């Protein structure tokens, strides 16, 4: 029997017929946003190399090169989602792509780490307007029954970007200068703009919210202060330093003020009433926690493969293929497990698998067979696929279709904030553990070099290379100190992933009450209410 809603589809026939082509264009837009960070992961060692090969960036400057993008991205996502709802998602998508392309071209020509950080922030500004609009348009060109499948393919596109990014970055770094990893975005942006003008329909929220400039400023300032304090603590290897404590405290105070302001505002950036729904909160929390753990571990794994194991950027990119392949294989199929076992069992299993693989990093040494790293990456990708797809469906279907921009922005905001804090916190754990491990070995160096050499493994190896034969003894010490620091950091990441597993096990919905016919939606709707 056909119900009235089904007999009157809400999506025009012309749009419905080309929905899969539209999804392809949206995935191309998503590709460049995700591609950029996955390319950068391979390039960070090259950028840390002194000029003319790189920019001579320190570990804290590298963390800022990643986080300048991430924090602007996260801080503006919700406002970008609201502007898309108000002005039209297509217009916002096109504008975001143009800004992202300009930022990419400028980043490629950076002459110093400070310039790179600034231009990465411009790229983050553009990306903030691209990411929520892609998922919001998707929700408005697919009928509800096709949305889980479309979101699964969309999530698989993230896996494709993770695969293409490191390999593309490796090829570019083997043949061109480090800036080519940013310049490659420009032709992709031009192609995406052309296809989008031609294919993608515009849509907007008939009753959009008002923009909240005070909330945006408070959230960005609070996050920047918090992350700056955490990174500074790692740089100094001293979290009791007065400047570090004051900056972290100021960041937390501003974020607390942001929450209070949002609760009292009649047009908040983040509608905190959404979080009264435990299912929605758990799904958002799961995304934040898994990216906290994953981004921090990805940051140090590049130094493990390139600095300790001696692989080239291209070889490092190829080593990360299993992680991406697993996401591409399993993300579109994860909904089948959800249909059979429910969101709770599927997502909890994914989180536990991620935690186990992060802990497995603590077993890696300088001479561990490389196939073990490949197995770890593949299983990490498998875990990710079985978290992102079901959790994205829960989040997007928890709110009405016309609020798709807001739901997408919330999801991506917490993903980016989780990733930024993961890089800051786990990067600082890595930096502190490394400095403590190498400090005793730097006693014979001149006083001026001691501080520089202790900042990161790349800094130590750079000093050792300058000293020639006298510095050879530092190489083994640097590798040992880094491996110890990596083990400590990996176990911290595993602990965070386990917290995520507990959260989803307690609060996500279980097996659908009526699995026959694929009717899991009533449970999602009921859970959202």
């Amino acid at each position: 029997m056909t119900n009235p809603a089904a007999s009157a589809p809400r999506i025009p026939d012309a749009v419905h017929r080309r929905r899969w082509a539209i999804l392809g264009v949206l995935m191309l837009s998503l590709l460049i946003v995700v591609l950029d960070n996955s390319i950068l992961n391979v390039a960070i060692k090259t950028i840390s190399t002194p000029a003319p090969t790189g920019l001579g960036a320190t570990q804290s400057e590298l963390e800022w090169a990643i986080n300048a993008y991430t924090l602007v991205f996260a801080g503006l996502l919700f406002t970008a989602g609201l502007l898309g709802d108000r002005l039209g998602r297509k217009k916002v998508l096109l504008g975001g792509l143009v800004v992202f392309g300009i930022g990419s071209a400028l980043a490629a020509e950076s002459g110093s780490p400070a310039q790179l950080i600034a231009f990465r922030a411009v790229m983050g500004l553009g990306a903030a307007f691209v990411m929520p609009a892609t998922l919001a348009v998707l929700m408005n060109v697919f009928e509800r029954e096709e949305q889980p499948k479309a979101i699964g393919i969309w999530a698989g596109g993230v896996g494709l970007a993770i695969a293409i990014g490191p390999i593309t970055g490796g090829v570019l770094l083997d043949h061109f200068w480090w800036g080519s990893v940013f310049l490659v975005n420009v032709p992709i942006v031009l192609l995406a703009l052309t296809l989008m003008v031609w294919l993608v329909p515009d849509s907007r929220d008939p009753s959009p919210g008002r923009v909240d400039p005070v909330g945006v400023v408070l959230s960005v300032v609070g996050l920047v202060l918090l992350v700056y304090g955490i990174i500074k603590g790692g740089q100094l290897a001293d979290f009791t330093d007065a400047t570090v404590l004051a900056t972290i405290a100021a960041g937390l105070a501003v974020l607390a003020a942001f929450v209070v302001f949002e609760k009292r505002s009649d047009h908040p950036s983040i509608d905190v009433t959404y979080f009264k729904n435990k299912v929605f909160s758990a799904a958002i929390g799961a995304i934040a926690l898994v990216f906290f753990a994953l981004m921090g571990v990805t940051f140090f794994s590049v130094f493990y493969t390139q600095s300790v194991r001696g692989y080239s950027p291209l070889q490092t990119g190829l080593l990360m293929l299993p992680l991406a392949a697993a996401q591409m294989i399993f993300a579109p199929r994860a909904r089948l497990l959800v249909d059979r076992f429910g969101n709770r069992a599927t997502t909890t299993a994914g989180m536990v698998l991620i935690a186990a693989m992060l802990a497995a990093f603590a077993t890696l040494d300088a001479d561990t067979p490389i196939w073990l790293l490949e197995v770890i990456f593949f299983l990490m990708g498998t875990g990710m696929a079985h978290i992102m797809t079901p959790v994205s469906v829960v989040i997007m279907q928890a709110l009405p279709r016309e609020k798709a921009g807001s739901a997408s922005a919330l999801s991506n905001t917490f993903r980016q904030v989780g990733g930024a804090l993961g890089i800051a916190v786990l990067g600082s754990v890595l930096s502190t553990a490394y400095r403590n491990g190498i400090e005793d070995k730097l006693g014979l160096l001149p006083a001026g070099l001691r501080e520089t050499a202790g900042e990161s493994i790349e800094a130590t190896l750079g000093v050792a290379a300058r000293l020639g034969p006298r510095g050879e003894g530092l190489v083994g010490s640097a590798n040992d100190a880094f491996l110890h620091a990596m083990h400590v950091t990996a176990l911290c990441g595993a602990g965070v992933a386990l917290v995520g597993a507990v959260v989803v096990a307690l609060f996500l919905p279980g097996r659908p009450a009526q699995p026959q016919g694929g009717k899991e939606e009533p449970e999602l709707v009921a859970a959202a209410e």
Side-chain angles (χ1 to χ4, degrees):
M1 180 178 172
T2 308
N3 63 40
S7 62
R10 297 173 60 185
I11 296 168
D13 281 346
V15 173
H16 184 72
R17 280 196 302 273
R18 62 177 193 267
R19 64 196 186 282
W20 297 109
I22 292 168
L23 178 60
V25 180
L26 296 177
M27 285 175 65
L28 184 63
S29 307
L30 176 73
L31 185 75
I32 58 167
V33 174
V34 181
L35 183 80
D36 181 70
N37 268 345
S38 59
I39 280 185
L40 186 60
N41 284 335
V42 173
I44 53 178
K45 180 182 180 294
T46 306
I47 293 169
S48 70
T49 307
T53 305
L55 290 175
T58 65
Q59 183 158 313
S60 59
E61 286 170 337
L62 288 174
E63 289 176 39
W64 274 115
I66 296 170
N67 280 342
Y69 175 93
T70 302
L71 290 174
V72 172
F73 191 1
L76 294 177
L77 266 173
F78 210 85
T79 296
L82 283 173
L83 285 173
D85 290 345
R86 176 183 287 273
L87 302 174
R89 281 106 186 202
K90 180 176 181 175
K91 296 183 188 74
V92 164
L93 253 176
L94 293 171
L97 283 170
V98 169
V99 172
F100 186 87
I102 292 169
S104 298
L106 292 171
E109 298 300 325
S110 299
S112 68
Q115 285 185 10
L116 177 61
I117 291 166
F119 295 139
R120 289 275 298 157
V122 174
M123 293 171 69
L125 172 65
F129 286 85
V130 173
M131 181 69 99
T134 59
L135 202 45
V137 170
L138 182 153
M139 298 299 284
N140 279 275
V141 298
F142 284 91
E143 294 293 352
R144 190 172 178 86
E145 62 273 8
E146 278 191 322
Q147 286 171 5
K149 182 179 180 182
I151 290 174
I153 294 170
W154 181 88
V158 176
L160 180 65
I162 292 171
I164 293 173
I167 296 168
T168 305
V171 170
L172 290 170
L173 291 171
D174 272 4
H175 294 91
F176 305 102
W177 93 115
W178 64 267
S180 61
V181 300
F182 299 112
L183 199 60
V184 72
N185 291 330
V186 176
I188 304 174
V189 165
L190 293 173
L191 176 62
L193 285 170
T194 304
L195 292 172
M196 198 168 293
V197 168
W198 177 36
L199 281 172
V200 175
D202 208 354
S203 63
R204 66 184 72 198
D205 185 345
S207 54
R210 283 156 57 200
V211 176
D212 171 29
V214 176
V216 170
V217 171
L218 286 174
S219 63
V220 173
V221 170
L223 284 168
V224 168
L225 285 170
L226 177 61
V227 169
Y228 178 83
I230 293 167
I231 291 175
K232 190 69 177 174
Q235 188 182 352
L236 298 174
D238 181 11
F239 283 88
T240 61
D241 180 83
T243 309
V244 171
L245 289 174
T247 311
I248 291 174
L252 291 172
V254 173
L255 290 174
F258 166 72
V259 173
V260 171
F261 181 82
E262 296 301 285
K263 287 178 78 173
R264 294 180 178 175
S265 174
D266 59 356
H267 58 287
S269 283
I270 294 178
D271 189 341
V272 292
T273 59
Y274 294 155
F275 293 94
K276 291 178 180 176
N277 172 3
K278 290 179 181 178
V279 171
F280 183 81
S281 297
I284 288 282
I287 283 183
L289 288 169
V290 77
F291 272 88
F292 180 101
L294 197 73
M295 290 295 286
V297 169
T298 305
F299 184 75
F300 70 63
S301 68
V302 173
F303 287 102
Y304 171 70
T305 54
Q306 292 187 38
S307 299
V308 177
R309 301 301 297 260
Y311 289 103
S312 70
L314 176 56
Q315 288 170 325
T316 298
L318 292 170
L319 286 173
M320 295 178 78
L321 260 181
L323 188 149
Q327 282 203 51
M328 290 168 60
I329 292 165
F330 295 113
R333 294 170 174 80
R335 63 194 171 84
L336 303 175
L337 277 184
V338 173
D339 288 346
R340 182 161 184 181
F341 300 109
N343 280 291
R344 181 189 303 145
T346 305
T347 311
T348 303
M351 292 295 281
V352 169
L353 184 57
I354 289 275
M357 291 308 101
L358 293 175
F361 265 97
T363 67
L364 297 179
D365 260 320
D367 53 0
T368 301
I370 204 65
W371 64 264
L372 282 175
L373 180 65
E374 299 297 85
V375 171
I376 290 171
F377 275 148
F378 183 81
L379 292 176
M380 281 179 78
T382 303
M384 281 288 292
H386 290 94
I387 297 166
M388 293 306 296
T389 300
V391 163
S392 296
V393 172
V394 168
I395 291 167
M396 295 307 292
Q397 293 192 342
L399 299 182
R401 184 198 293 258
E402 59 272 13
K403 300 296 181 187
S406 300
S408 173
L410 263 176
S411 169
N412 283 295
T413 295
F414 277 80
R415 183 169 71 84
Q416 293 297 328
V417 169
L421 289 175
I423 290 167
V425 173
L426 296 182
S428 294
V429 169
L430 182 75
S431 184
T432 303
Y434 179 78
R435 187 183 285 268
N436 291 339
I438 197 70
E439 218 158 26
D440 294 344
K441 313 295 181 186
L442 302 177
L444 299 176
L445 292 178
L449 286 178
R450 219 170 292 158
E451 185 70 22
T452 305
E455 281 188 351
S456 66
I457 185 171
E458 270 311 298
T460 310
L461 295 177
V463 168
R466 271 187 281 161
L467 291 174
R470 286 188 302 136
E472 285 176 5
L474 274 180
V475 175
S477 300
N479 286 345
D480 291 343
F482 178 82
L483 286 169
H484 170 70
M486 182 179 85
H487 295 163
V488 171
T489 309
L491 291 174
C492 290
V496 170
L498 279 177
V499 171
V502 172
V503 168
V504 295
L506 288 175
F507 298 113
L508 282 196
R511 188 174 178 177
Q514 293 179 299
Q516 68 271 20
K519 295 183 181 177
E520 74 272 26
E521 282 179 26
E523 186 204 14
L524 286 175
V525 175
E529 295 166 351

